[in-house]
Structure formats: C-alpha cells, structure tokens
Amino acid sequence: MMNQLGYFTLGTVDIAKAKAFYGALFGWTFDDDASNETYAHVAGSDPACGFTKVERTRDHADLYFRVEDIDAMCAEVNRLGGRAALPSDSDSGRSVSVCDDQGMSFSLWQPAAGLVD
C-alpha cells in the first residue's frame, strides 16, 4: 500500500556500536548485501529500517513515507505551503526530504520498480 510508512532510519555516528546495541536489545540482525559503510540494513524488518552514518547523533528517526509518484508528491508538498528538496536516486528507488507548512521534516520514498508489492 502506498502513502504509508515505508521505512525509517536512525542516524548514528558509529554504525558498529548501533548494530551491537540494537542487535542485543531487539535481536536485530543485519543484511550485509543491502548495507555499506554509511548504511546498515536491518534484516527482515517491517517496515524496513536501518542505520545511517551521520556527523552528529540526532534525537529522532527519519521517517520515509512510501509514495507512487515522488515528483507529483513534491509538487503537492510545495503547493500546500511546505518545502521539498530535489529527489535523489538509489538502488532502492527515489527519496526526498520535505517539510510540512509548519517546518516538520519527513521524507518520501518511491520504491524501485522491482521493490513494489
């Protein structure tokens, strides 16, 4: 289903420490094939989640809402008084950071064709 939470990330300055902490706390394991030096993907999570390498630890998760057409949604965010950055492409699809008309940040994610249910 589209327009619902598709995945989230937790920012961390030390991915190895985060993997150790959350692995011990929740029993999470990690998908090495879907991970790299700046991202660790939690295996089998629903919704999908992972850790992203950041310069400073943040006190919030980054929420990505799954959408069918990211360009149309960016236009709608702007029309409604919010702000949308330019979408970026990755193996998992397209994503973009946006904020609502009050400044609350969140992200949109359009899955790559092979990832759509």
Side-chain angles (χ1 to χ4, degrees):
M1 172 178 263
M2 297 292 179
N3 300 328
Q4 65 181 23
L5 187 61
Y7 73 93
F8 67 91
T9 60
L10 300 169
T12 181
V13 295
D14 188 328
I15 288 179
K17 281 183 75 172
K19 287 171 63 174
F21 179 88
Y22 288 94
L25 182 65
F26 295 132
W28 288 354
T29 59
F30 299 87
D31 181 348
D32 291 334
D33 291 335
S35 301
N36 59 47
E37 68 233 13
T38 61
Y39 178 73
H41 187 74
V42 176
S45 61
D46 185 24
C49 67
F51 298 98
T52 54
K53 178 117 173 83
V54 295
E55 295 296 316
R56 292 191 314 247
T57 300
R58 297 177 290 198
D59 60 356
H60 65 278
D62 291 317
L63 303 177
Y64 291 78
F65 292 92
R66 184 175 171 170
V67 299
E68 290 185 40
D69 184 339
I70 204 163
D71 296 311
M73 292 298 284
C74 286
E76 187 67 0
V77 164
N78 290 325
R79 187 188 75 73
L80 293 170
R83 292 187 321 269
L86 294 174
S88 62
D89 297 304
S90 71
D91 290 343
S92 68
R94 302 185 76 204
S95 61
V96 65
S97 294
V98 300
C99 66
D100 67 17
D101 61 344
Q102 297 182 63
M104 172 63 77
S105 296
F106 59 97
S107 296
L108 304 175
W109 171 56
Q110 178 182 329
L115 297 177
V116 176
D117 302 327

